[in-house]
Amino acid sequence: MTSQNPPLTPRHIAIIMDGNGRWAARRGLPRAAGHREGVRAVRRTIEAAIEHNVRWLTLFAFSSENWRRPAEEVTDLTFLLRHYLRSELNELAEAGVRLRVIGERDRFGPALEAELAAAETRTAGNERLNLVIALSYGARAEIVAAARRIARAAEAGTLDPALLDEDNFTAHLATAGMPDPDLVIRTSGEQRLSNFLLWQAAYAELIFDDALWPDFGAANLASAIAEYARRERRFGARPAAAAPPTASAPVK
């Protein structure tokens, strides 16, 4: 793999949407108000992604660790998810957005699970933007689940462990068939991945935005894309100008 400059716009942007609670607390409002305002930020970000011709947008909406939050907050988040599906699905479909969900959707109950599946089916033919929502998602659990599937296949004799490589391991992840994120953005000033797309983000550019998620909008996304365009993605290789003429393999 050789050194290369990135295209001006990343093909796949993944966002850790953080700061709803702090946004509400600073205004003396309940956390639910922050989550509701965060939904508006989702709408703005989808519109901005389409404007920038981003093809894939993955949003970390609910982590597997979020189940540890107070039951009332989990209920509010689940209600907002159901409300979002019902109120935004028509607009998403008309805008050419394809919706996909990764994570343990069954933990939300059969009714919401069915609504998620119906939304995916309805938008399956859209190609303008692939919107991936990570719900009850944890990257470590995803990797362990993939390892279990591979172990079962090996036990059944349908997979030779000696032939296992990164490509066919990736095919067992929840994101199979998706490109890896080129850019990962986290809002609220926190600087960690928090168990989000750990395998897939191995070579992603990382940008940490101080804005709380409800304040995130088109200008923030444009700024992140501009910063991405200034970076040189090496994937472990030397810069092209410094690489020996005959060198073709990455320098580890």
Side-chain angles (χ1 to χ4, degrees):
M1 188 179 295
T2 59
S3 174
Q4 60 180 326
N5 290 319
L8 294 179
T9 300
R11 182 184 184 193
H12 183 179
I13 297 176
I15 304 179
I16 302 172
M17 305 181 295
D18 192 18
N20 290 349
R22 275 168 284 173
W23 184 92
R26 290 177 184 179
R27 290 160 176 75
L29 300 171
R31 290 180 68 88
H35 295 315
R36 286 194 295 271
E37 197 63 33
V39 170
R40 297 186 178 94
V42 168
R43 185 183 302 118
R44 293 194 299 269
T45 302
I46 291 172
E47 292 171 352
I50 291 173
E51 287 294 319
H52 284 278
N53 294 316
V54 174
R55 301 310 302 270
W56 293 80
L57 177 65
T58 298
L59 302 178
F60 199 10
F62 192 95
S63 76
S64 52
E65 290 81 11
N66 286 158
W67 292 106
R68 302 172 188 167
R69 294 186 177 185
E72 182 180 358
E73 184 175 357
V74 172
T75 299
D76 287 339
L77 286 167
T78 304
F79 171 81
L80 274 176
L81 173 59
R82 182 177 286 109
H83 175 73
Y84 178 82
L85 281 174
R86 294 174 178 176
S87 63
E88 302 289 328
L89 185 57
N90 286 338
E91 186 173 341
L92 290 175
E94 291 172 3
V97 176
R98 178 179 183 180
L99 178 67
R100 302 185 183 192
V101 177
I102 60 173
E104 303 168 313
R105 66 176 76 190
D106 57 302
R107 294 191 65 176
F108 291 95
L112 185 51
E113 185 179 10
E115 287 194 48
L116 291 169
E120 288 178 315
T121 298
R122 180 175 174 187
T123 61
N126 294 340
E127 297 180 348
R128 191 172 187 185
L129 173 70
N130 291 278
L131 174 63
V132 183
I133 306 296
L135 293 173
S136 190
Y137 170 86
R140 287 182 173 181
E142 177 193 26
I143 293 169
V144 169
R148 286 183 181 138
R149 284 190 284 272
I150 290 168
R152 287 195 293 268
E155 186 177 25
T158 59
L159 185 149
D160 182 353
L163 300 179
L164 182 64
D165 59 17
E166 291 184 11
D167 286 339
N168 52 39
F169 187 92
T170 298
H172 289 83
L173 295 172
T175 54
M178 293 171 48
D180 288 341
D182 303 296
L183 171 62
V184 175
I185 302 169
R186 180 170 186 148
T187 61
S188 85
E190 302 292 347
Q191 298 187 16
R192 55 182 178 272
L193 288 177
S194 294
N195 201 20
F196 181 53
L197 299 180
L198 298 181
W199 175 282
Q200 299 87 343
Y203 286 102
E205 297 298 317
L206 307 179
I207 291 179
F208 302 104
D209 192 312
D210 289 334
L212 300 176
W213 176 247
D215 293 326
F216 192 89
N220 301 80
L221 189 69
S223 176
I225 290 173
E227 171 61 25
Y228 169 86
R230 286 191 289 268
R231 297 185 183 182
E232 182 179 41
R233 304 185 73 196
R234 298 181 183 136
F235 301 98
R238 292 179 181 176
T246 58
S248 59
V251 177
K252 296 181 179 180

